Structure formats: C-alpha cells, structure tokens
Amino acid sequence: MSLETLADLFHDELRDILSAEKQLVKALPKMAKKASSEQLSKAFEDHLQETERQVERVEQAFAETGKTPRAKECAAMKGLIEEASSMMKEKADADVMDAALIACAQKVEHYEIATYGTLCTWAQKLGYEKALELLKENIDEEEKADQKLTQLSGQINAAATT
Ligand SMILES: [Fe+2]
C-alpha cells in the first residue's frame, strides 16, 4: 500500500497501534506474574483489562477509514517487549525487579501516548470525529496508567534502594 494522503498515513498508524495493543495483551499477564508488589501486579492486571477494551476501540476507529481493521506488526512494541522479557530473566532482588518492570511499562506507555497523540491530531485534521473520540479515551487511559506507575515507583524505588 502506498502512502499518498494523510488518510493513508492515519490508517497505517492505526494498524501499528492495533498491533502494539494486541502484543501488550499477551505481555501484561507475564509482567503481572513477575511483579512482587501486590499493588504493582494489580496495576498490570487492571491495565490488561483496559488494554483489551483499547483493542476494541482501535478496531472501531477504523470505521471512518472505510477499511477493515487489520494489524501491522509494530516493531517498536516488539522491541520494548523483548527488552522487558530479557530483563525478567535476570536474577534480581524482588524490589529491584519491580523497579525494572515499572521502567519497562512506562516506556511502553510513553510509546503508546506518542502514537495516540499523533493519531488524535490526524483524526481531527481528517474530520474523523468518532475515531477521535475513541482514540482520546485510549490516550486518557494510557496517561492515567503512566501516572499510576509513577506513583507506585515512589515506594518501590525507595524499597529497592535499601
Ligand atoms: Fe494501550
């Protein structure tokens, strides 16, 4: 597919984030299992449920493009998850591992926030009102998830210091 218009680019980027979210649905249970802090584990499980709904919203956001929802492998998310997987194999103190899990998760959230930010800007430009609404819901959830991780990192990093 060639990218001739902003609409083509929007569609291509939507396929990227659909792949990213789907990859995350598979990775989050492993991160929840690996976390020692109950609060951190719960934050990952809560975000898994949100991510499942985000996949649905992204699929719905395809409607105005007139094309069927189809993911295109997001290499960036694949790389972020690969880094998290190899980090999870390290021998580490429980609190230090939790601090590392937060770092991996926040990289993921920031990647998603960047992508949704771009998608919202393009949806607005293209007059895709329904897509804009759906994508805004997702970016709001990602921002809240990121803030939750920052909040948890306060106590976890303190524990990892000692
Ligand atoms: Fe997400």
Side-chain angles (χ1 to χ4, degrees):
M1 186 195 80
S2 63
L3 301 172
E4 288 176 16
T5 64
L6 191 66
D8 295 337
L9 197 55
F10 176 83
H11 174 250
D12 198 64
E13 196 68 13
L14 211 50
R15 293 186 64 196
D16 175 279
I17 196 71
L18 181 58
S19 160
E21 297 291 13
K22 284 184 165 179
Q23 290 184 53
L24 197 55
V25 165
K26 289 186 192 156
L28 278 169
K30 295 173 198 165
M31 294 172 78
K33 205 174 155 199
K34 189 74 184 173
S36 298
S37 152
E38 263 177 50
Q39 281 175 289
L40 180 59
S41 187
K42 189 180 178 302
F44 287 146
E45 276 165 16
D46 290 348
H47 196 53
L48 170 63
Q49 288 184 2
E50 282 179 342
T51 304
E52 283 167 347
R53 288 196 298 272
Q54 289 174 357
V55 167
E56 289 169 18
R57 286 194 204 107
V58 172
E59 284 173 346
Q60 289 163 14
F62 276 83
E64 281 154 306
T65 70
K67 293 179 178 129
T68 45
R70 204 155 52 87
K72 175 175 142 184
E73 188 179 77
C74 173
M77 182 61 81
K78 195 178 173 204
L80 289 170
I81 291 172
E82 273 170 11
E83 277 192 10
S85 304
S86 62
M87 193 278 305
M88 285 193 277
K89 288 182 196 127
E90 299 281 345
K91 204 168 157 296
D93 174 88
D95 296 322
V96 176
M97 179 57 75
D98 280 357
L101 286 169
I102 291 176
C104 292
Q106 286 197 292
K107 285 183 195 179
V108 164
E109 290 312 312
H110 285 226
Y111 175 76
E112 292 184 313
I113 290 165
T115 304
Y116 282 125
T118 297
L119 280 166
C120 284
T121 303
W122 290 345
Q124 198 160 21
K125 183 82 193 156
L126 292 161
Y128 292 168
E129 285 176 20
K130 186 66 197 159
L132 180 59
E133 204 178 293
L134 292 158
L135 294 165
K136 270 187 178 169
E137 277 184 66
N138 282 10
I139 200 170
D140 284 350
E141 280 182 358
E142 307 297 19
E143 279 167 356
K144 283 190 187 112
D146 182 52
Q147 283 158 15
K148 175 79 193 171
L149 289 167
T150 297
Q151 182 206 323
L152 287 173
S153 77
Q155 56 205 82
I156 287 167
N157 289 349
T161 311
T162 54

